Every structure is written in C-alpha cells, then in structure tokens.
Amino acid sequence: MHTLSNSHFKQSFWRPAVLLTLGFWLGASLLLDWVIMPSLYISGMMTQASFSTVGYAIFWNFNRVELLSAAVVLTGVLALSKTQVNWRRNGLVLSVILLAIALLDTYFLTPQMSAIAIHLNAFDAEATIPSSMNLLHGSYWVLELVKLIAGGALLNCCWKQEA
C-alpha cells in the first residue's frame, strides 16, 4: 500500500511545480519588460506626472508575485534535493540567486526608483531625469538579465532531471 509520504509522490509533485512556476515567472517578466513597459513609453505615459505612481503600483504588485514565485521555486528545489539522490547543487544556488534578485527588486530598486521619479516641485518647469535614475535602471536591467539566465538554467536543469 502506498502512502502519501512516498518519495515518488514528492518527486512527481515538486518538479512540475518548479517548472510551472519558473515558466510563469520568466514569461511574466518578459511580458512586463518587453511589452508592457515599452508600450507605456511609446504611448507617452512616461512624460506624465502620474507615471511614477502608476509604475510603482505595477511593480509593487509584480514584485509580490515574484517573491511568491521565488519562494515556491526555492521550496521545490529544496524538496527535490532531499528526495532525489542525483539532484545537482547548482539548482539550490540558482534558486537562492533568484530569491535574492526578487528581494532586491522589491525592497530596494522599486522604492528607490519611485522615490526619485516623484515630481515634488510643481513650480519646476523642467523635469530632468536624475543621473541616479539611470544607475538604478542599469542595475535593474542587469538584475533582469541575471534573473533570466539563472531562471533559464534552473528551468533547463529541472527539465532534464528524470521524473
């Protein structure tokens, strides 16, 4: 008689959970970075005063989804590493990197970029982008690139793992 604590059951549950979560997370990141934000830029929304508020609301929600996804991926990788003998340690390192990126985006980059972007002086006719904003945008894109590479490597590692 098979019980729920059978290791085969655990293997068959966590691997698809990690695969689906990574696929959703990376797909949503690509959609946000390459479709939604460029559409807002092209439509002229970035020149409006309320853009920082809208951007913060979009990224606040998305960052929480990223944190949840990173937690599911890390939990799944930890479970897989305990139930499968031949699971690679690289998966654990990659999932911790993904969690660290989600934490940096949520608690450092998004609040900093939103604080810099808020136009507080209504009498200032010329609204220029501060140089620190360019540094934060560069940091964001580097983290996004690392996230996509690490997530793709982890997705590949999970995909090739035997069920």
Side-chain angles (χ1 to χ4, degrees):
M1 181 175 198
H2 294 292
T3 62
L4 291 178
S5 65
N6 188 357
S7 66
H8 180 67
F9 176 74
K10 291 177 187 173
Q11 290 174 7
S12 65
F13 173 75
W14 283 111
R15 185 173 170 263
V18 170
L19 286 171
L20 287 173
T21 303
L22 276 172
F24 168 75
W25 183 10
L26 296 177
S29 291
L30 288 172
L31 181 72
L32 182 69
D33 292 339
W34 295 102
V35 176
I36 295 173
M37 293 312 289
S39 297
L40 292 176
Y41 181 75
I42 290 171
S43 69
M45 186 166 179
M46 289 185 151
T47 59
Q48 296 178 1
S50 64
F51 179 72
S52 62
T53 306
V54 172
Y56 185 75
I58 290 171
F59 280 99
W60 189 92
N61 289 320
F62 184 73
N63 287 339
R64 284 1 182 232
V65 171
E66 277 192 315
L67 284 174
L68 181 62
S69 298
V72 169
V73 168
L74 181 59
T75 303
V77 167
L78 286 171
L80 286 171
S81 70
K82 293 299 179 188
T83 59
Q84 295 182 358
V85 177
N86 58 353
W87 181 257
R88 298 180 199 158
R89 294 289 176 203
N90 294 342
L92 183 60
V93 171
L94 291 171
S95 61
V96 169
I97 289 171
L98 289 172
L99 178 63
I101 290 171
L103 288 169
L104 281 171
D105 282 346
T106 302
Y107 296 113
F108 178 70
L109 282 178
T110 300
Q112 289 295 321
M113 285 195 283
S114 296
I116 290 173
I118 292 177
H119 186 67
L120 295 178
N121 190 355
F123 300 111
D124 189 14
E126 185 178 321
T128 59
I129 297 174
S131 61
S132 57
M133 181 64 90
N134 293 330
L135 178 66
L136 291 173
H137 275 134
S139 301
Y140 173 79
W141 284 108
V142 167
L143 286 176
E144 282 297 302
L145 183 63
V146 171
K147 177 175 67 174
L148 290 174
I149 291 170
L154 187 58
L155 193 64
N156 187 33
C157 183
C158 258
W159 186 262
K160 289 184 178 181
Q161 193 69 28
E162 297 115 24

